[in-house]
Amino acid sequence: MQENSMILSFESSCDETSVAVIKNGNKILSNVVATQIKSHQRFGGVVPEVASRHHIEEITICINDALQRANVTYDDLTTVAVTYGPGLVGALLIGVTAAKVVAWAHNLPLIPINHIAGHIYATNFVKPITFPAMALVVSGGHTELVWMPKEGKFEIIGETRDDAAGEAFDKIGRVLGINYPAGPTVDAMAQKGKDTFAFPRAMEADDNYDFSFSGLKSAFINTVHHADQIGKTLNKNDLAASFEAAVVDVLAEKSQSALEKYPVKEFILAGGVAANQGIRERLASVASKENVEFVKAPLKLCGDNAAMIGAAAAAMQHHQEAGKASLNADPGLEFEWAPNEN
């Protein structure tokens, strides 16, 4: 990690416009996040075109706010970092374009960062990552187990084959009458209910590290619709608790299986769904059982934000090729795939 670094970082992969100033990779001088939740709630989810237009409106405001709150000027900066994928292509382009303009105008190096790496490196604000490490990234668009044998090396060993965990929470939330994003409300309801429904744990016993939540989502929706048809009232807290228990069981089983087969010193939980209380408690137990250190992304940094991008850039700038003027958004950006190998 570079000493005396001052990184201006950008994150615009989905529905948050964020700009941050990060000193030495682990000190947040500012982290401005302009959320779009209210704009997307009426649609029940993120509308890409709406998200892109909001990013255009907010990006320069966020830059100015981030610099002002950090009490720095462009002359104090040493690096610019930006999420360039994965994500919504139109949204990503706003952040990438803004970052390139700042880097070019002030003759600063530009570090392109994978959004998932950003989520993982949010834990650097807790402590530096100890390698080798395993990360479970759970969010609205991603559910992935990522093995990191050393700094700058990421290998996906398992991922969802359909809905991501957060996406499934949002979809069953609509059935329960909960506004987008539904995850926090479903989690709060789950803490009050009991696991009384026999929802499926898809692929839990399969000999791989992949996930599937589409069948669980369908089973939940069918249960609620059937009850409606016969005039039966179901306890919504129990429904939420049963759904969350099924998700948590699968995440825990796959994580424990990976920790048993891969030599790691640290187990990381990151991503927007990492704020879920049930998931945090269960995975802490898994890490303890496997005798590895458990590190969670700070609650305020679980969602999309630019601070995590700055942390990733500080840690990886010696392993990451500097961005060029031709840098473009890569909505399908992926880590290297490691096919179930130890």
Side-chain angles (χ1 to χ4, degrees):
M1 185 180 299
Q2 180 182 342
E3 294 295 330
N4 300 317
S5 68
M6 194 74 72
I7 299 176
L8 182 70
S9 52
F10 293 79
E11 159 60 35
S12 66
S13 63
C14 191
D15 60 338
E16 270 86 25
T17 312
S18 184
V19 182
V21 178
I22 306 301
K23 183 177 181 179
N24 296 336
N26 58 11
K27 185 176 181 181
I28 302 174
L29 299 187
S30 64
N31 186 30
V32 177
V33 180
T35 184
Q36 304 175 12
I37 288 177
K38 290 185 178 180
S39 294
H40 297 284
Q41 278 181 338
R42 54 185 166 153
F43 304 111
V46 178
V47 178
E49 176 65 19
V50 173
S52 299
R53 290 179 181 274
H54 276 296
H55 286 308
I56 293 171
E57 294 170 356
E58 297 290 342
I59 191 69
T60 54
I61 297 172
C62 289
I63 294 172
N64 292 333
D65 282 354
L67 292 173
Q68 184 175 4
R69 294 183 191 183
N71 195 27
V72 300
T73 68
Y74 288 110
D75 291 338
D76 298 313
L77 302 176
T78 61
T79 311
V80 177
V82 63
T83 299
Y84 74 112
L88 303 175
V89 63
L92 288 165
L93 280 169
I94 308 306
V96 169
T97 301
K100 289 200 296 185
V101 168
V102 172
W104 177 81
H106 300 278
N107 195 28
L108 295 169
L110 175 65
I111 306 297
I113 296 295
N114 184 306
H115 177 75
I116 304 303
H119 275 304
I120 293 170
Y121 272 95
T123 59
N124 260 21
F125 294 112
V126 178
K127 62 173 290 295
I129 296 175
T130 303
F131 297 94
M134 182 74 69
L136 174 64
V137 180
V138 279
S139 68
H142 304 275
T143 303
E144 299 175 348
L145 274 166
V146 184
W147 182 49
M148 297 176 290
K150 58 184 179 180
E151 187 87 85
K153 181 69 171 178
F154 305 85
E155 294 183 0
I156 294 176
I157 62 168
E159 63 183 353
T160 183
R161 296 186 180 181
D162 39 60
D163 291 344
E167 183 181 7
F169 270 98
D170 287 333
K171 288 179 178 178
I172 68 101
R174 287 201 289 270
V175 177
L176 293 174
I178 301 169
N179 285 335
Y180 168 86
T185 303
V186 173
D187 185 31
M189 294 170 62
Q191 306 312 312
K192 302 174 184 177
K194 296 180 180 180
D195 180 10
T196 58
F197 296 87
F199 290 138
R201 273 71 167 160
M203 301 180 66
E204 185 180 29
D206 289 9
D207 187 23
N208 57 51
Y209 310 116
D210 287 347
F211 306 91
S212 173
F213 298 107
S214 180
L216 168 61
K217 172 202 65 181
S218 297
F220 182 98
I221 294 173
N222 290 339
T223 297
V224 174
H225 285 176
H226 177 68
D228 288 343
Q229 289 171 351
I230 63 175
K232 183 179 180 180
T233 300
L234 302 179
N235 185 299
K236 290 188 176 182
N237 289 339
D238 288 347
L239 281 167
S242 299
F243 174 82
E244 182 166 298
V247 172
V248 171
D249 281 350
V250 173
L251 293 176
E253 181 64 30
K254 295 293 185 176
S255 296
Q256 183 167 336
S257 178
L259 293 174
E260 288 173 352
K261 295 183 180 180
Y262 282 78
V264 301
K265 296 180 180 178
E266 185 173 308
F267 179 42
I268 294 168
L269 176 63
V273 185
N276 180 286
Q277 181 180 340
I279 292 174
R280 291 169 86 89
E281 292 175 355
R282 181 68 174 280
L283 293 181
S285 176
V286 168
S288 176
K289 182 177 180 179
E290 296 303 318
N291 197 30
V292 297
E293 184 176 12
F294 183 51
V295 183
K296 308 177 293 293
L299 283 173
K300 65 180 180 179
L301 298 179
C302 284
D304 293 349
N305 66 91
M308 69 186 192
I309 303 304
M316 296 172 55
Q317 55 190 332
H318 300 301
H319 307 279
Q320 176 75 51
E321 182 179 352
K324 301 177 181 178
S326 59
L327 178 68
N328 202 354
D330 187 348
L333 181 67
E334 294 184 353
F335 289 133
E336 178 181 353
W337 174 260
N340 303 332
E341 59 187 28
N342 193 341

